[in-house]
Amino acid sequence: MVSMAESCEGPPLIALRGIRKHYGGGDSGQPAVTVLHGIDLDIHAGEFVAVVGSSGSGKSTLMNILGCLDRPSEGSYHFQGQDVARLDADALAWLRREAFGFVFQGYHLIASESASENVEMPAIYTGLPKPQRVQRAQALLQRLGLGERLGNRPNQLSGGQQQRVSIARALMNGGHIILADEPTGALDSHSGAEVMALLRELAAAGHTIILITHDRSVADQAQRVIEIRDGRIIGDSVGQLGQDAAQTDAKGSGSERPLSAIPAIPAQGSASTAPLLAELAEAARSAWRGMRLNRVRTSLTLLGIVIGVVSVIVMLAIGEGARRKVVEQMGTMGTAILYMGSQSPSTGGPAGQITEEDLAALRELPEIRRVMPVIGDPITVRYGNADKQIYVFASSEEMPLVHHWKVGQGRYYTDAEDQDLAPLVVLGHKAHQHFFPDTPNPLGRQLVIGSSAFEVIGVMSERGADSGAQNYDDMVFIPYQSGRARVYQAQTQPDYVVIEAVSSDLVNEAEAAIRRVLLERHGGREDFGIGNAAARIQAEAATRKSMAVMLGLIAAVSLVVGGIGVMNVMLMTVRERTREIGIRMAVGARQSDILRQFLTEASLVTLVGGCVGLLAGLAVGMVLLVLDVPLVFSVRAMVGAFVCAVLTGLIFGYMPAKTAARLDPVRALAGE
Ligand code: ADP
Ligand code: MG
């Protein structure tokens, strides 16, 4: 046995001492097997080493340990003097990325990516900007004779070509140490010879090559041949290349051709060097490709999200539409309004009299804010030669407040003017147009109402068609007391009284208080009636509200169901793409890179689903509007649904992404 270690100077690049690897045993339920039985091995920079042994002798296990894809069960591994056992996951990823380049028997190319993209991949994780990345990948492929095949996918390449692509990938980040596991195993003898020639060339260029093979004749082409049997090194001899080199050495040409040195391993937990945005863009690009390749599955997942978003948008719009409808029904009167008037008691007898004293007593009640008596009838109103039957509304100065209605021009009469029986009139918008079509400012003109003259002091603003009270625009408004004195002389009491409770929560209390006071004042006879429309409207509003909440809940559930769909697909994707994850880890992806990639994919699906859902929701809404369903789109609901959809993707995508990131590189590569 000839050890090569003494022939090389300096500390070894790789130093293994007493490496053992056990599988199974413990609580795994599998019988314990020991695959490596104490391996001691030094490899120096620039060596071309072949590890040869029959199938099952532990070569691949050894290579996985050398390449930091796997950890030994016992023993120590020093890389450039540093103990690998002490490195964290990110530092190991750094080693795989910067120091090693893997070439596998099965090539391990990502099937959905082109030759050039496969070669670029290791540089994505070092943060090399895209133009340089593409340039270098293409230069490498050109050098390996694949200049014509840059855009081909792996299944459009022969085995030999695929292996050259994987060699180019190994070289992408420098490939200081090339670990090749049976690189010629799946190739015909011609392609195999080509690959071997390539490896010899790389060795000559200064790369450290560790070649694993079961084929003695392949191994012999290396500089140093290590023989392994049943997990033990049984031979370490000079290969043919070594003898050639020795001869060259004898001729005195010198054989040490150091490649640029491997940089020191950065401090543990080294963060990503790639700009976040570039990495996200890269993840989005590959996610987009994955979605396109699995169109049917993607569209089914999208459907879940789209239905969720559409239902949130449409249901909330319907809920809001129903609510608005109720508000409209309330008109502009608000929800704190009660009506009261005299009527015959149900037990028979004459109707009651609502007196001024009754109203004064009601005004004293703490539950009541305003008491507005109203008398109104169509009366002939005249200006010059024009006359018309007009509804003359006689009430207190509180009318604009009770009706939430603004005076457009001039002013409303005051309580003092009302008490003084002042002959003043305020016109509705249409009444103004009727009597004074050519007079924009009718203030100061005299209208004859019945047989008395009234001075115009104001014009109300237009209520419009959608207020639910547009006929108010036709009326004229006069003070209650002067109305009784000058127009409605025969009237002994108000037609009805509008009562406003202090708040809409207190309408029922106000109703009870009114009843109590009037019963007391009317000697216990219920010769009056109280209309509580507010309570009815409130009850209706409450029903609509609970309906809207229910619709919202249904919508939310469908969004969650959509999210579970995303999770399901992502879990399937992770399972399907275990090998791809393994490959990415072998070329140096950190756990965070894998996590980010899968999260990006999940959120891309939901982002697209959210956009489509938004548009579809609007479309469905338009159709419903055409069908006369009252609905009101809310920007808040749309933004909310969209944000929820994307969040759903992130939340439900996180678990699968975490699963992917936690995969063990060796097991992932094996596709387990
Ligand atoms: P080689 O590459 O030399 O053919 P391997 O290193 O792949 O051999 O495997 C060596 C031995 O270890 C084989 O007997 C194999 O069955 C066993 N082995 C490899 N991986 C595992 C594993 N994950 N669990 C249990 N046994 C394993
Ligand atoms: Mg093997």
Side-chain angles (χ1 to χ4, degrees), residues 432-475:
H432 171 207
Q433 286 178 342
H434 179 77
F435 288 108
F436 308 100
D438 306 319
T439 315
N441 181 1
L443 303 185
R445 305 289 171 105
Q446 300 280 328
L447 275 188
V448 179
I449 301 175
S451 53
S452 311
F454 283 74
E455 183 191 340
V456 176
I457 57 163
V459 179
M460 299 306 290
S461 59
E462 188 174 0
R463 294 210 94 161
D466 37 297
S467 68
Q470 80 246 48
N471 53 349
Y472 276 76
D473 282 335
D474 295 322
M475 302 181 187

Side-chain angles (χ1 to χ4, degrees), residues 325-581:
K325 187 118 191 164
V326 172
V327 170
E328 208 175 280
Q329 277 178 356
M330 294 173 199
T332 42
M333 298 287 275
T335 47
I337 295 295
L338 298 154
Y339 294 90
M340 190 268 287
S342 71
Q343 68 180 35
S344 306
S346 51
T347 51
Q353 267 287 330
I354 308 293
T355 62
E356 287 299 320
E357 291 72 33
D358 287 341
L359 299 185
L362 293 180
R363 283 197 183 94
E364 297 303 311
L365 288 171
E367 296 89 345
I368 284 169
R369 174 178 293 150
R370 296 191 179 98
V371 175
M372 181 180 88
V374 177
I375 301 174
D377 261 320
I379 304 274
T380 304
V381 176
R382 191 156 47 82
Y383 175 71
N385 296 329
D387 59 40
K388 195 185 183 203
Q389 284 274 101
I390 291 242
Y391 195 92
V392 176
F393 191 100
S395 70
S396 67
E397 96 291 353
E398 289 174 313
M399 195 286 289
L401 296 173
V402 171
H403 283 204
H404 300 285
W405 194 6
K406 283 201 177 66
V407 178
Q409 233 187 100
R411 62 180 184 86
Y412 211 73
Y413 47 82
T414 64
D415 188 39
E417 286 165 335
D418 191 359
Q419 302 306 329
D420 285 352
L421 314 183
L424 303 173
V425 61
V426 177
L427 306 179
H429 179 77
K430 285 194 184 148
H432 171 207
Q433 286 178 342
H434 179 77
F435 288 108
F436 308 100
D438 306 319
T439 315
N441 181 1
L443 303 185
R445 305 289 171 105
Q446 300 280 328
L447 275 188
V448 179
I449 301 175
S451 53
S452 311
F454 283 74
E455 183 191 340
V456 176
I457 57 163
V459 179
M460 299 306 290
S461 59
E462 188 174 0
R463 294 210 94 161
D466 37 297
S467 68
Q470 80 246 48
N471 53 349
Y472 276 76
D473 282 335
D474 295 322
M475 302 181 187
V476 297
F477 302 88
I478 59 174
Y480 182 70
Q481 300 299 352
S482 71
R484 282 188 69 181
R486 296 166 197 277
V487 182
Y488 297 116
Q489 289 95 339
Q491 199 94 23
T492 54
Q493 62 168 341
D495 287 342
Y496 61 93
V497 182
V498 180
I499 299 170
E500 187 180 334
V502 277
S503 84
S504 52
D505 301 332
L506 286 177
V507 280
N508 290 325
E509 285 82 347
E511 182 186 348
I514 294 166
R515 176 162 287 117
R516 196 184 65 235
V517 167
L518 289 183
L519 276 177
E520 197 178 298
R521 296 185 57 84
H522 290 209
R525 287 184 78 228
E526 188 154 347
D527 53 4
F528 55 88
I530 302 172
N532 193 344
R536 205 190 67 233
I537 291 172
Q538 280 179 19
E540 175 142 0
T543 317
R544 299 274 169 123
K545 192 164 179 182
S546 54
M547 190 182 87
V549 168
M550 209 179 67
L551 290 179
L553 271 179
I554 294 172
V557 166
S558 60
L559 202 55
V560 169
V561 171
I564 292 173
V566 171
M567 176 155 79
N568 193 13
V569 166
M570 290 306 296
L571 279 173
M572 262 160 62
T573 312
V574 169
R575 189 152 308 155
E576 252 170 40
R577 287 162 56 191
T578 333
R579 196 182 290 269
E580 176 193 324
I581 296 165

Side-chain angles (χ1 to χ4, degrees), residues 59-60 105 181-182 212:
K59 307 181 295 294
S60 295
Q105 176 174 4
D181 189 354
E182 308 265 12
I212 281 170

Side-chain angles (χ1 to χ4, degrees), residues 23-24 33 35 53-62 181-182 212 667 672:
Y23 286 113
V33 278
V35 179
S54 56
S55 176
S57 55
K59 307 181 295 294
S60 295
T61 308
L62 179 61
D181 189 354
E182 308 265 12
I212 281 170
R667 310 187 108 224
E672 280 169 29

Side-chain angles (χ1 to χ4, degrees), residues 93-94 97-98 119-134 136 172-173 270-283 587-590 592-593 596:
W94 183 91
R97 195 161 64 235
E98 302 284 347
V119 176
E120 282 170 44
M121 203 173 53
I124 290 171
Y125 301 116
T126 60
L128 192 67
K130 181 149 177 115
Q132 278 114 292
R133 208 162 73 207
V134 173
R136 178 162 168 80
M172 187 67 191
N173 286 347
S270 70
S272 162
T273 46
L276 184 65
L277 217 61
E279 246 182 76
L280 276 181
E282 180 52 43
V587 303
R590 304 162 198 80
S592 58
D593 294 321
R596 188 174 309 145

Side-chain angles (χ1 to χ4, degrees), residues 167-179:
I167 292 174
R169 181 180 63 192
L171 294 172
M172 187 67 191
N173 286 347
H176 293 280
I177 304 155
I178 305 264
L179 292 165

Side-chain angles (χ1 to χ4, degrees), residues 19-21 34-39 52-59 61 227-234:
I19 292 289
R20 286 168 197 278
K21 181 73 186 176
T34 303
V35 179
L36 297 177
H37 301 266
I39 302 276
V52 68
S54 56
S55 176
S57 55
K59 307 181 295 294
T61 308
E227 208 171 327
I228 185 169
R229 185 186 296 160
D230 295 333
R232 290 186 177 83
I233 292 181
I234 57 162

